[in-house]
Amino acid sequence: MFKSKINMKIYPLYKMFSWDLLFYYAISFLFLTQVKSFSASQILSAEAFYILFKLFAQFICVPFVDSIGKKNSLILGNILVALSVYIIIISNSFSHILISYFVMAIGYGLKELCEPSLLYNSVPTCENKQNIFSKIDAKGSSLWFFTDGITSIIASFSYVINPYLPMYFCIACLIFSAFICLAFEDESVDSKNLEANNENSVQRLKDYMKDLKYSFRFIFKSKRLRALIIFSVLFYSMLDISSTLRNSLLVDLNIPAQYFGILAAIYQTIASISSRKQNWFHNKFKNTVLSFFSMSMCLLFISIGILGMNSSLVSIFIILILCSIHYICKGPYYTLMDRYLNSFSTAEISSKIYSAKSLVTSIFSTIILQIASLIMDHFNTSNSLIIIGLGFFIAFIFVLKYMKTRVGLKPEEYQKSDIEYVKVK
């Protein structure tokens, strides 16, 4: 119990520095296009490869986490992500960017498997376990959004002085995150277990893969989990594409580099406030919260695409306001999705659920982003936004209809195969 309290106390601070790259996103598009001379289409294509690399990473990371534990995996994951940013700094070709993204995929593969399950397993079993998990996770998300807002402003102005400065600041935050991980307590691995694993690693891997096979069969047999994962694929892809297209549109509209950080700070502040309101979104929209997020993002794409055809000050002002929709949805989305995926799960199956989500997301999001990259090769940013937005709108109509009878039901309305884990041969 004492170890669990330590993890619950430290986790928001850890997530504040480690959830995603600080100093980076405010200037990453500018750094890759202006300093490294890549096109927006190449950047989107590289992001598609990154997702594909995350697919491969799952086969490495899942057994690796079980071998060395969540704490050690988080330390290694943050170090690998720091290394990937350094590779971007010294890169001079598209292949170097792909190498960087491969290393980053391994790092984030370790982190994404461990972070939510470490916190969830640290929360004592009680009636309000889901709410406690969501509250702690949301606090960490909110702190990260606030910190990212401040670091974004610093990044944009330091970029004007020297474009490499924000990249080194980003690495420093990742190294600090690795040090924070040293304070976590991990009950999943002790010295005796490690010694036993080292003595019989081949047999342990065989047993693990067999158990993993059973776990995945349950996950994909569950209609509830299957529906959530399909939605996650589309929405994750849309958020990823949105960032690149938005930055490309801002460049097309001749927004100065130093304003990118200020805008990012404003948007992240909105996301920080929004993430703290995740329970409000859940209670307000209930079973339609995911519908609200997805439809809002589709309308965002189409609206700013149409407005982007006109570079007047009024259009630019409206575009900047509308872009806040991305962060209003993004803020609470990840916490709520983790909450829904964790529903009815146990410590035995929770990490496998996250692995399954990442696995399926990697396969299909790669295809979606490559299609978006091809669209950007043939159309300008405004037209690309309209075309992609309409495509997502049609896709979400079908997915939300599919989810209607499979997600958000009362516990007694689910079949046992949807919520009870058994080893299905």
Side-chain angles (χ1 to χ4, degrees):
M1 180 65 70
F2 177 71
K3 292 181 178 180
S4 297
K5 288 183 178 180
I6 291 176
N7 292 348
M8 292 166 64
K9 185 176 182 179
I10 296 173
Y11 189 85
L13 176 65
Y14 165 77
K15 192 169 185 179
M16 172 181 174
F17 286 96
S18 179
W19 189 28
D20 212 341
L21 300 176
L22 296 174
F23 291 98
Y24 180 78
Y25 291 110
I27 53 86
S28 61
F29 187 85
L30 296 175
F31 185 85
L32 292 172
T33 55
Q34 296 179 358
V35 179
K36 298 300 179 179
S37 301
F38 297 118
S39 67
S41 177
Q42 284 180 308
I43 294 173
L44 199 57
S45 179
E47 291 175 356
F49 275 106
Y50 169 69
I51 298 173
L52 184 63
F53 294 150
K54 289 186 72 174
L55 166 62
F56 176 76
Q58 294 305 309
F59 296 99
I60 299 176
C61 296
V62 175
F64 198 77
V65 169
D66 280 2
S67 296
I68 68 172
K70 295 182 176 66
K71 173 181 175 178
N72 293 330
S73 297
L74 286 176
I75 294 172
L76 179 61
N78 282 289
I79 292 174
L80 288 175
V81 176
L83 176 61
S84 70
V85 176
Y86 180 72
I87 295 174
I88 293 176
I89 291 174
I90 63 175
S91 65
N92 54 31
S93 69
F94 186 71
S95 61
H96 290 162
I97 298 298
L98 295 184
I99 293 172
S100 167
Y101 281 11
F102 178 78
V103 176
M104 187 180 292
I106 300 295
Y108 271 113
L110 292 170
K111 283 161 56 66
E112 290 175 2
L113 280 176
C114 298
E115 290 168 346
S117 58
L118 177 71
L119 174 60
Y120 189 77
N121 295 337
S122 297
V123 178
T125 302
C126 62
E127 184 179 353
N128 294 322
K129 182 169 183 173
Q130 289 288 343
N131 289 332
I132 295 173
F133 165 82
S134 298
K135 183 177 180 180
I136 296 173
D137 190 59
K139 181 179 179 181
S141 301
S142 180
L143 288 172
W144 181 87
F145 283 123
F146 176 76
T147 305
D148 188 55
I150 296 175
T151 57
S152 293
I153 296 176
I154 298 173
S156 62
F157 284 97
S158 60
Y159 177 87
V160 175
I161 299 172
N162 185 329
Y164 289 90
L165 281 176
M167 305 295 284
Y168 284 110
F169 293 156
C170 177
I171 292 175
C173 289
L174 289 164
I175 294 175
F176 181 64
S177 297
F179 277 106
I180 295 176
C181 291
L182 294 173
F184 280 130
E185 296 288 347
D186 188 3
E187 297 178 353
S188 62
V189 175
D190 55 32
S191 58
K192 292 182 179 180
N193 288 334
L194 284 174
E195 184 179 353
N197 286 339
N198 290 332
E199 291 176 354
N200 197 12
S201 58
V202 175
Q203 185 59 44
R204 184 205 59 78
L205 182 58
K206 289 181 179 179
D207 292 340
Y208 175 83
M209 294 303 293
K210 185 178 181 180
D211 183 65
L212 182 63
K213 179 180 66 174
Y214 294 143
S215 301
F216 269 68
R217 284 182 179 178
F218 158 70
I219 290 167
F220 292 114
K221 185 178 179 181
S222 169
K223 296 177 182 178
R224 186 186 69 86
L225 287 175
R226 189 164 66 236
L228 285 171
I229 290 173
I230 292 173
F231 179 91
S232 180
V233 167
L234 282 177
F235 201 77
Y236 174 88
S237 302
M238 198 172 199
L239 288 176
D240 207 347
I241 294 170
S242 175
S243 299
T244 300
L245 287 179
R246 185 185 65 252
N247 286 329
S248 180
L249 184 62
L250 294 180
V251 170
D252 291 348
L253 296 174
N254 298 314
I255 303 297
Q258 57 269 31
Y259 293 155
F260 272 64
I262 297 174
L263 290 172
I266 295 173
Y267 292 144
Q268 295 296 43
T269 300
I270 293 172
S272 176
I273 296 171
S274 180
S275 67
R276 284 186 175 272
K277 298 293 184 180
Q278 49 87 21
N279 265 330
W280 181 87
F281 280 98
H282 176 74
N283 295 328
K284 175 69 174 179
F285 295 98
K286 300 186 184 300
N287 295 342
T288 64
V289 65
L290 296 180
S291 301
F292 171 77
F293 289 157
S294 56
M295 290 296 101
S296 296
M297 286 295 297
C298 290
L299 293 175
L300 167 65
F301 270 55
I302 297 170
S303 298
I304 66 175
I306 295 173
L307 290 168
M309 295 178 178
N310 181 3
S311 59
S312 67
L313 290 177
V314 175
S315 295
I316 293 174
F317 180 73
I318 296 174
I319 287 171
L320 295 179
I321 293 176
L322 289 176
C323 283
S324 62
I325 293 175
H326 172 103
Y327 294 89
I328 292 172
C329 297
K330 181 180 178 180
Y333 168 73
Y334 290 108
T335 296
L336 289 175
M337 180 55 72
D338 285 346
R339 173 178 179 170
Y340 300 151
L341 289 171
N342 261 324
S343 297
F344 312 110
S345 72
T346 63
E348 180 183 11
I349 195 64
S350 62
S351 64
K352 308 299 188 301
I353 292 174
Y354 290 115
S355 177
K357 184 192 74 169
S358 297
L359 179 68
V360 178
T361 297
S362 298
I363 295 173
F364 292 100
S365 292
T366 298
I367 299 172
I368 294 172
L369 263 68
Q370 288 291 8
I371 293 173
S373 176
L374 289 174
I375 292 173
M376 291 189 69
D377 269 337
H378 294 86
F379 299 94
N380 61 29
T381 306
S382 293
N383 289 331
S384 296
L385 279 161
I386 297 171
I387 295 170
I388 295 171
L390 287 172
F392 273 115
F393 180 81
I394 295 171
F396 274 119
I397 290 295
F398 287 101
V399 171
L400 293 171
K401 183 178 180 180
Y402 177 79
M403 293 174 63
K404 190 173 182 180
T405 58
R406 294 169 174 84
V407 178
L409 309 179
K410 297 178 180 179
E412 61 271 16
E413 294 177 321
Y414 286 108
Q415 298 179 8
K416 288 186 177 181
S417 60
D418 288 332
I419 61 178
E420 292 185 5
Y421 171 62
V422 291
K423 289 188 175 181
V424 183
K425 296 185 178 181

